[in-house]
Each structure stands twice: as C-alpha cells, then as structure tokens.
C-alpha cells in the first residue's frame, strides 16, 4: 500500500504524462481540446481514476469517453513505460461536470447582478 504522498506523486505523474500523450501522441480528432482535470490513484496503485472535460461541454461526453476507451491499452502501455511503476494501474475515465456547473452558476449570478441594477 502506498502512503498519501506517494499516491499524490503518482497521480501527478500520470496527469502530466496523460497531458503529454494528448498533445503529442494521440491523433484521434475526438480528443482535441480535451483537458485532464484530475487524477486520483487508489492506495494499492491499482486503479487510476482520470477526469476529463472539453470546452464544448456535455455534448462531447460520449464521444470523448469512447475515444479514451478505444485508446486505453495504448495509454496504459505508455504510462507504464513513462511512470516507473512495477504494475501500471488500470485506467478509469470519467467526465468532469464541474466546469459546466461552474459556468451555469456564473450565468445565474450574472443574471442576479443585472436584475438588481
């Protein structure tokens, strides 16, 4: 079992390598403009939960997650080679709804400001 500091360090390394893979290696057009928002690794370093989003919002969720599922083996192999671990973690991709929620809240707050004026 890894301690919290090691979990965080491995998660940060995976996030950095995922970002590099998106920029340089993966050529799937569905993965253009995708942002890795967070990576969490469990205590055994067996699973890495990766949250992603794209500026065009929830409309792209299915396409992006399908693209990541199709490239999962390649991504895992590359991460295993780049992040020095005995066993590469299983990758689980999730859509991050937080940016969309933040935008909706911002619009509501802007509407309240306008209504007070």
């Amino acid at each position: 079992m890894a301690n919290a500091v090691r979990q965080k360090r491995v998660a940060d390394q995976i996030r950095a390598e995922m970002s590099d893979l998106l920029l340089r290696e993966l050529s799937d057009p569905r993965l253009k403009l995708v942002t890795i928002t967070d990576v969490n690794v469990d205590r055994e370093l067996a699973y890495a939960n990766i949250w992603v989003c794209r500026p065009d919002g929830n409309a792209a969720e299915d396409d992006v997650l399908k693209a990541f599922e199709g490239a999962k083996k390649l991504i895992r192999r590359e991460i295993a080679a780049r992040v020095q671990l005995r066993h590469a973690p299983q990758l689980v991709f999730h859509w991050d709804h937080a940016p969309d929620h933040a935008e909706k809240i911002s619009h509501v707050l802007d509407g309240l400001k306008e209504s007070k004026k």
Side-chain angles (χ1 to χ4, degrees):
M1 276 190 244
N3 63 21
V5 174
R6 180 160 164 78
Q7 281 178 266
K8 176 77 169 123
R9 189 174 67 228
V10 169
D12 289 344
Q13 287 177 327
I14 290 173
R15 182 178 184 177
E17 295 303 333
M18 282 291 304
S19 296
D20 187 57
L21 284 170
L22 282 171
L23 285 174
R24 298 180 191 348
E25 307 278 332
L26 300 174
S27 59
D28 192 326
R30 297 174 293 181
L31 298 178
K32 298 295 182 203
L33 300 175
V34 169
T35 302
I36 307 297
T37 57
D38 195 18
V39 176
N40 287 331
V41 180
D42 69 335
R43 292 187 67 185
E44 290 81 24
L45 303 178
Y47 291 92
N49 291 296
I50 302 168
W51 279 268
V52 298
C53 70
R54 203 165 78 177
D56 53 353
N58 292 336
E61 179 177 355
D62 291 335
D63 288 340
V64 170
L65 292 178
K66 284 179 186 174
F68 274 119
E69 287 300 316
K72 187 184 281 190
K73 289 181 183 179
L74 169 76
I75 295 169
R76 186 170 184 230
R77 185 173 53 243
E78 287 295 321
I79 286 177
R82 296 175 184 203
V83 179
Q84 300 296 315
L85 294 173
R86 183 172 293 163
H87 301 286
Q90 293 291 325
L91 306 176
V92 182
F93 294 97
H94 306 277
W95 189 260
D96 190 357
H97 295 278
D100 295 328
H101 292 303
E103 186 176 338
K104 288 178 186 175
I105 290 171
S106 176
H107 287 299
V108 168
L109 292 175
D110 288 343
L112 289 173
K113 284 181 186 176
E114 292 297 319
S115 67
K116 283 189 175 185
K117 290 181 181 180

